Amino acid sequence: MEVADTRVADFITEARNALGAEFVLEKALAQAFEQCVSGHSRRIAAVVLAGDIPQIRIVLQLCKKFELGLYPVSQGKNWGMGSRLPVQNGCVVLDLSGMSKIAHIDPVFGTITLEPGVTQQQVYEHLLQENLPFYMDVTGSSRESSVIGNLLERGVAYNTLRVDQLVQLEVMLADGSIVKTGFGEAPNSLVSHLYPHGLGPNLTGIFLQSNFGIVISATLTLLPKQESHFVFIANIRETRMVANVIDDLRLLLQQKILDCVVHVGNHKRREITLAPLVFEAAKKYGVTLTRGECEGLVNRTSRGDWSAVGVIAGNRHCVKAHKKIVQKTLGAYGKVGWLTAEKLRIAKNAMRLIGLKRQLIFLEAVTPLLGYALGKPSSEALRSTYWPFCNEQANWQNPDFPSDGGLIFCTPLLPMCSSAIEKFHQITQDFERTYLVKFAITLNTMNRSCIEAVISLEFDRQNADTVQRTKTIMTNLLEQCAAEGFLPYRLDIDSYRKFCNNHTELSRTSQRIKQLLDPDGIIAPGRYGLSAGPRDAS
């Protein structure tokens, strides 16, 4: 964190005087923010912790005074995309994890208003304690990931898209003023937390994947608990069948037989996700398994090149009818299994009674899948970060912690049709042959027309050449996908300049909005290609 002038030192001094020394991290603690599982590298000027609105205003004023960029993070768990790192060197990181209040829950309509530091686990426990007939849809990332942080990247939860649940945002602008979108500022409104649009232009969307302000709260809809709730796991025997499966899933979604995100993963994704869970479950039951035995158990129990996981929920009559259709449709490609909490409990007890330990171990390993579907967050999927390198790892719940294991993602968006899937397979398979790598891939249905391809590649982050080679592979892959019309739906911090086209009318309009709302370019300079921002202090 070397600097070329005294601005950062002066900023730190004034910030400590204004906020208290405990809110400005010492150099050693601040440097921990520079650790990054995806191999990205930035120099951070300082890290400031904010627990309330007045503190954010003070930090904004000081950054403007000293011409420093301010990069807000919620919990900072943007793993595989840059974690807590700013886009530009020399920024102050504003850690909002201390803003962790659940401000309001409507027990009738099922909406929740929360601050940026609120985690998935916090919401889960709160709803459990209140015994409400709703749950929050969760991602497969971490129990401690921020709901708002994922929302602002338009993240995909297990059953829905987070952005589809968004009702209202409360945002602090660069001058310290606060805007509430929708009906948020309407006097005596009874629907501000229920209806997203308000009167006139709807500004909510401009604060997603942007740097126009600092989101200080969000209101989202919760999902109602259902009478009947089944998770299906459908095996797909061969890769060549996936294109036809996607066509069938499109029809099931269009006909509203399915109303969920379906996650279609390849063999490697399944193996690196489930094998470490099998390893851990085996230890729980006093069984020692080798890596080969763990992976073999996964492959024997979940046969096929790919697997599709999704949810059918509703009243028992509708669920029964829809199950039959899904079973017939996906059963043409391989075995379809159905899970409920009760079926899983009974199966585990049966395995215990008859002594089938390995089957019991596998059921234990897949238990988080059912939990995700019911709004129960888990961090277990993070074990896939270290599994390609070792059986176990301390501090595994923080992939940024220094280790050998590195992981980077890219996420092109595809039309939900067989021709697009076939072309996508051709691209990824060509890259695997050319670079002698194997991608872990999940195809997530984003709506009834589009699919998000989540592609990850592991690497040794202690080897600088390997880090650079992996970044090059993923950049080239994104470029090839974009050339075919498969544009990324979100980006890592190194890709903004390359893929955010600053020469379109849309981009120029966005830049004008940035100039209007943040004329000094203080907030998150460079995020999604917007604004050059203050000069680099490093």
Side-chain angles (χ1 to χ4, degrees):
M1 297 193 300
E2 298 176 0
V3 296
D5 54 40
T6 63
R7 287 180 294 143
V8 172
D10 292 342
F11 168 86
I12 290 173
T13 299
E14 290 204 24
R16 285 177 173 164
N17 289 339
L19 303 173
E22 67 273 20
F23 291 100
V24 183
L25 295 188
E26 295 287 343
K27 183 175 181 179
L29 293 173
Q31 284 178 324
F33 276 61
E34 296 178 351
Q35 297 293 334
C36 182
V37 68
S38 51
H40 293 88
S41 178
R42 298 291 189 277
R43 293 183 299 279
I44 294 171
V47 176
V48 178
L49 313 178
D52 57 36
I53 291 171
Q55 289 180 330
I56 299 176
R57 280 201 180 98
I58 290 170
V59 179
L60 272 170
Q61 291 165 1
L62 290 176
C63 283
K64 181 176 180 179
K65 177 179 178 179
F66 293 106
E67 297 183 302
L68 295 170
L70 182 64
Y71 198 80
V73 297
S74 302
Q75 288 286 343
K77 293 176 170 51
N78 193 25
W79 292 313
M81 296 284 190
S83 300
R84 298 180 285 189
L85 293 178
V87 180
Q88 295 183 0
N89 285 316
C91 286
V92 174
V93 172
L94 179 66
D95 185 333
L96 299 175
S97 61
M99 293 185 67
S100 56
K101 296 186 183 68
I102 296 175
H104 179 256
I105 293 181
D106 188 314
V108 176
F109 296 104
T111 61
I112 184 170
T113 301
L114 39 72
E115 293 182 335
V118 173
T119 66
Q120 299 194 121
Q121 183 68 16
Q122 188 179 345
V123 174
Y124 172 74
E125 291 175 356
H126 189 86
L127 294 175
L128 206 61
Q129 182 179 352
E130 296 295 320
N131 195 29
L132 296 176
F134 302 98
Y135 66 96
M136 171 164 278
D137 202 9
V138 299
T139 70
S141 170
S142 164
R143 294 185 306 172
E144 304 308 322
S145 63
S146 163
V147 175
I148 286 181
N150 178 258
L151 164 71
L152 296 181
E153 284 287 347
R154 302 195 186 106
V156 180
Y158 203 76
N159 300 292
T160 63
L161 307 189
R162 277 257 165 86
V163 70
D164 290 344
Q165 310 307 315
L166 177 59
V167 179
Q168 178 195 102
L169 291 176
E170 184 178 11
V171 184
M172 182 179 291
L173 303 180
D175 63 1
S177 61
I178 292 175
V179 61
K180 296 180 181 179
T181 65
F183 278 120
E185 296 182 26
N188 303 319
S189 172
L190 298 178
V191 295
S192 59
H193 65 297
L194 305 177
Y195 183 73
H197 301 300
L199 292 171
N202 184 353
L203 300 183
T204 301
I206 71 169
F207 297 107
L208 306 177
Q209 288 192 0
S210 76
N211 55 6
F212 297 150
I214 299 172
V215 174
I216 54 178
S217 79
T219 300
L220 300 99
T221 57
L222 301 168
L223 300 183
K225 295 179 180 177
Q226 301 292 338
E227 176 188 11
S228 182
H229 206 120
F230 279 84
V231 174
F232 64 83
I233 305 175
N235 295 333
I236 304 169
R237 288 189 296 272
E238 299 175 36
T239 297
R240 64 178 179 82
M241 296 178 171
V242 174
N244 290 333
V245 170
I246 294 303
D247 276 342
D248 285 343
L249 288 176
R250 186 187 69 250
L251 294 175
L252 292 173
L253 289 162
Q254 289 173 344
Q255 296 163 0
K256 297 189 177 181
I257 302 301
L258 289 176
D259 185 22
C260 65
V261 175
V262 182
H263 310 266
V264 185
N266 71 350
H267 175 274
K268 182 172 180 180
R269 175 73 71 208
R270 181 178 65 216
E271 187 172 272
I272 66 172
T273 300
L274 289 180
L277 305 191
V278 167
F279 185 84
E280 292 300 315
K283 291 196 300 182
K284 176 180 176 180
Y285 291 106
V287 177
T288 300
L289 296 180
T290 65
R291 290 178 65 84
E293 288 172 326
C294 291
E295 292 168 354
L297 181 55
V298 169
N299 295 328
R300 284 193 305 275
T301 311
S302 301
R303 293 180 179 176
D305 290 346
W306 290 66
S307 302
V309 180
V311 173
I312 296 180
N315 73 64
R316 65 182 186 278
H317 303 295
C318 288
V319 168
K320 183 178 181 181
H322 289 180
K323 272 185 63 185
K324 287 182 179 179
I325 298 171
V326 172
Q327 177 69 48
K328 181 179 180 181
T329 302
L330 298 185
Y333 305 103
K335 181 180 177 182
V336 181
W338 297 90
L339 281 178
T340 67
E342 182 64 12
K343 284 184 70 173
L344 194 59
R345 184 188 65 80
I346 292 171
K348 285 182 180 180
N349 287 338
M351 296 302 111
R352 288 189 189 96
L353 285 173
I354 60 180
L356 295 178
K357 272 196 174 182
R358 296 206 172 194
Q359 289 83 343
L360 176 60
I361 287 166
F362 184 79
L363 290 177
E364 193 71 39
V366 301
T367 297
L369 293 179
L370 182 63
Y372 292 143
L374 297 171
K376 183 178 181 180
S378 170
S379 299
E380 291 299 312
L382 296 179
R383 295 185 185 277
S384 64
T385 305
Y386 68 74
W387 184 257
F389 301 92
C390 57
N391 294 350
E392 298 176 275
Q393 183 172 290
N395 301 299
W396 62 271
Q397 295 193 59
N398 177 16
D400 288 328
F401 192 85
S403 70
D404 292 339
L407 185 70
I408 191 167
F409 288 97
C410 69
T411 54
L413 199 60
L414 322 175
M416 195 187 303
C417 61
S418 56
S419 59
I421 298 303
E422 287 168 353
K423 186 62 183 179
F424 172 75
H425 281 327
Q426 180 186 331
I427 293 170
T428 54
Q429 289 167 0
D430 285 348
F431 267 71
E432 288 177 336
R433 286 191 292 267
T434 300
Y435 293 102
L436 302 178
V437 296
K438 184 68 177 175
F439 297 119
I441 301 173
T442 308
L443 305 175
N444 297 318
T445 59
M446 301 284 274
N447 52 29
R448 296 167 191 160
S449 305
C450 287
I451 279 191
E452 166 212 25
V454 179
I455 309 167
S456 65
L457 188 60
E458 75 279 356
F459 58 93
D460 179 358
R461 60 197 267 212
Q462 303 304 322
N463 185 316
D465 291 339
T466 302
V467 172
Q468 187 54 52
R469 179 178 186 271
T470 305
K471 287 183 180 180
T472 299
I473 292 171
M474 296 302 264
T475 299
N476 291 347
L477 177 60
L478 264 184
E479 287 181 332
Q480 183 62 44
C481 285
E484 296 294 338
F486 307 149
L487 301 177
Y489 105 95
R490 63 191 284 189
L491 291 167
D492 68 275
I493 60 173
D494 278 351
S495 297
Y496 294 144
R497 288 185 179 179
K498 184 176 290 288
F499 293 99
C500 293
N501 187 341
N502 292 323
H503 303 291
T504 63
E505 279 305 319
L506 177 62
S507 177
R508 283 190 282 269
T509 301
S510 297
Q511 294 286 5
R512 287 196 288 270
I513 295 172
K514 176 65 173 175
Q515 182 66 30
L516 176 68
L517 299 180
D518 184 12
D520 298 299
I522 297 297
I523 300 173
R527 178 168 157 78
Y528 282 92
L530 290 167
S531 172
R535 59 195 174 96
D536 191 337
S538 302

